[in-house]
Amino acid sequence: MDEELASTGLVVLAAGFGSRFDSSTHKLLENLNGRPIVSWVLEAAASVEAGAHFVVTQDSNLSSLLPAKFIELRNPSPQDGLASSLALAVDAASAMGLWAVTVGLGDQPLVPPEAWNAVTSTKTGGVAIATYAGVRGNPVKIASSVFGLLERRGDVGARAIFHRVEAVEVPCSGDPFDVDTREDLEQLRAIERN
């Protein structure tokens, strides 16, 4: 396995409340082409070789969907925002001696394995950021040398440090479209049908 891949942990953040999604079902469990939204993300990340694969959840709703290689990290304080989930993953990666994490979101099912692989393979002393037609998106690789700059609470992840560290842009195929609302899901289903 390539050294960059072997020293990096892949992280899927899936502990959010989905509060803007009007449904009795959690948005990550909503059906997209016969499978839950989060399954598309987990499969894409699982297909990339890495030092470890993590998924951050808030409860057991997703446990049965996880590919065998994933280590589930339960966020005991998901109300503390995305930063708290990222901190949990960074701590787990550090404990395993990994030099970096590549982080994606559980509600972005159109990000392909190639994007995860391209970002994870990029050497950086700061961050490597996927770009789609020149627009920054996810996943984002974060070097361990900058872990200490990350917030541990709030809803801003690595983006808050982009201007303070080396930031390498990585052109990627795919689409970082994320499902935040019921309307987003219907739009995504329409795109997939066409």
Side-chain angles (χ1 to χ4, degrees):
M1 183 187 323
D2 172 89
E3 185 179 8
E4 284 300 312
L5 298 175
S7 63
T8 302
L10 270 57
V11 179
V12 174
L13 298 180
F17 290 101
S19 56
R20 289 185 284 168
F21 195 88
D22 183 27
S23 175
S24 59
T25 305
H26 193 286
K27 72 175 181 179
L28 296 181
L29 299 174
E30 287 285 340
N31 181 28
L32 179 64
N33 288 343
R35 294 175 24 208
I37 290 170
V38 72
S39 291
W40 295 97
V41 180
L42 293 168
E43 182 178 292
S47 69
V48 176
E49 291 189 56
H53 292 75
F54 303 102
V55 60
V56 183
T57 64
Q58 65 168 287
D59 55 38
S60 61
N61 285 343
L62 304 180
S63 298
S64 65
L65 301 175
L66 302 182
K69 65 171 58 174
F70 273 87
I71 299 166
E72 184 176 11
L73 305 172
R74 295 264 177 92
N75 186 342
S77 303
Q79 68 278 2
D80 288 342
L82 180 144
S84 69
S85 291
L86 180 56
L88 196 63
V90 161
D91 291 348
S94 294
M96 292 180 71
L98 298 173
W99 301 345
V101 291
T102 298
V103 182
L105 304 179
D107 64 357
Q108 294 186 324
L110 302 183
V111 173
E114 294 80 14
W116 282 92
N117 190 65
V119 172
T120 304
S121 299
T122 300
K123 293 183 183 205
T124 181
V127 295
I129 308 160
T131 62
Y132 302 87
V135 177
R136 289 177 169 183
N138 290 301
V140 173
K141 181 177 182 178
I142 308 164
S144 60
S145 58
V146 300
F147 283 174
L149 298 177
L150 297 168
E151 296 293 330
R152 299 187 74 82
R153 295 183 71 184
D155 280 322
V156 178
R159 185 178 32 160
I161 66 167
F162 286 178
H163 67 288
R164 298 170 57 193
V165 301
E166 173 193 35
V168 179
E169 293 188 344
V170 183
C172 293
S173 61
D175 188 336
F177 185 94
D178 62 350
V179 179
D180 287 327
T181 65
R182 168 71 56 191
E183 293 73 27
D184 291 340
L185 178 58
E186 294 311 323
Q187 182 180 346
L188 186 56
R189 286 173 173 160
I191 290 168
E192 290 296 292
R193 279 194 296 271
N194 299 329

